[in-house]
Amino acid sequence: MAEPERGGLIQLASAGARGDRRLMAAFPVLAPDERARLVRRAKLLAWGGNAWHLVEFLIAVGAGIAAGSIALVGFGFDSLIESLSGFIILWRFAGGRAHLDSAERRAQQLVAASYFVLAAYVGVESVRTLFGSGHPETSWVGIGLAAFTAPTMPLLARAKQRVGRKLNSSATVSEASQNMICAYLSLALLVGLGANALFGWWWADPAAALVITAVAVREGVESWRGEGCCDAC
């Protein structure tokens, strides 16, 4: 073999090796014990999130019915939809599925479907509130719930994102992003309920919720495509 050709092959092999090392650095192979620990943490975070979402659902729906607030009731049912994503992650890491790529892909699609359900529900309820004849009364319980949820959901989301990235699980990272949507909805609800209580601006929270609907659709599309594991916020 000619010397220039041999040198070119050596350079290609070296470049390929560097590429492999960069790929391994981006997605390191976890030791079995470390992976098992991370899977247990992912399950614990999912169970913890589901427990809070149940409490959130009961408080929001009860306060929403009392105040006649469709947005607050919708926020409560949003919590049920989020708990669905949490159970999907528990399914993803149950038994032998913890090591199956096919289970990861199915979990991504299920999380995406829950995003679309969330977007559809919040969008419909927002439009109904905007164009309906009834306007919600002041709900201080709802304001307190939104004020508590808005800063705590990002903490849960970041914890899930860290575990999801270490496990290279797009489904877990996407489900964490849904907790961030819950925080955005909480802020929208807080602004809407607060504006209604202080200024009588009943239309503020359904208008803001429509923006959140668009975000949920985008997250659902990315999750369905399998994006978001390493570049999620």
Side-chain angles (χ1 to χ4, degrees):
M1 182 182 294
E3 190 64 30
E5 184 177 355
R6 183 183 296 116
L9 290 174
I10 292 174
Q11 289 177 353
L12 286 173
S14 178
R18 287 196 299 271
D20 291 342
R21 286 195 295 270
R22 284 195 296 269
L23 185 61
M24 292 177 65
F27 302 105
V29 177
L30 296 172
D33 291 345
E34 176 66 8
R35 180 174 178 81
R37 184 187 70 81
L38 290 170
V39 167
R40 286 194 301 270
R41 182 165 177 77
K43 288 176 161 181
L44 181 63
L45 290 170
W47 278 118
N50 286 351
W52 168 246
H53 290 318
L54 177 60
V55 173
E56 197 174 53
F57 163 74
L58 295 174
I59 295 175
V61 170
I65 292 174
S69 170
I70 295 177
L72 192 50
V73 172
F75 181 79
F77 279 101
D78 156 68
S79 299
L80 278 187
I81 294 173
E82 288 189 59
S83 70
L84 171 63
S85 290
F87 281 115
I88 290 171
I89 297 305
L90 290 171
W91 171 86
R92 159 69 178 93
F93 290 113
R97 286 187 294 271
H99 302 282
L100 293 178
D101 291 337
S102 59
E104 171 69 19
R105 182 60 186 142
R106 179 63 59 85
Q108 288 175 3
Q109 293 172 337
L110 290 173
V111 170
S114 70
Y115 272 123
F116 296 140
V117 171
L118 170 59
Y121 186 84
V122 173
V124 168
E125 291 303 317
S126 298
V127 171
R128 288 180 59 185
T129 301
L130 281 171
F131 296 101
S133 57
H135 304 319
E137 299 176 2
T138 298
S139 175
W140 293 107
V141 173
I143 290 173
L145 176 65
F148 177 81
T149 303
T152 55
M153 279 296 103
L155 299 178
L156 178 62
R158 281 195 287 270
K160 288 182 177 181
Q161 284 173 348
R162 284 195 295 268
V163 173
R165 290 192 184 107
K166 290 179 181 178
L167 287 170
N168 192 25
S169 171
S170 293
T172 304
V173 174
S174 295
E175 194 265 332
S177 296
Q178 199 165 62
N179 293 139
M180 287 302 299
I181 290 179
C182 179
Y184 300 149
L185 279 172
S186 300
L187 289 173
L189 187 66
L190 184 60
V191 170
L193 295 179
N196 186 33
L198 298 175
F199 309 112
W201 296 349
W202 58 268
W203 45 265
D205 87 9
L210 287 174
V211 177
I212 304 303
T213 299
V215 174
V217 170
R218 185 200 68 182
E219 294 291 342
V221 170
E222 290 182 355
S223 181
W224 186 268
R225 292 174 176 172
E227 300 171 359
C229 181
C230 299
D231 54 348
C233 60

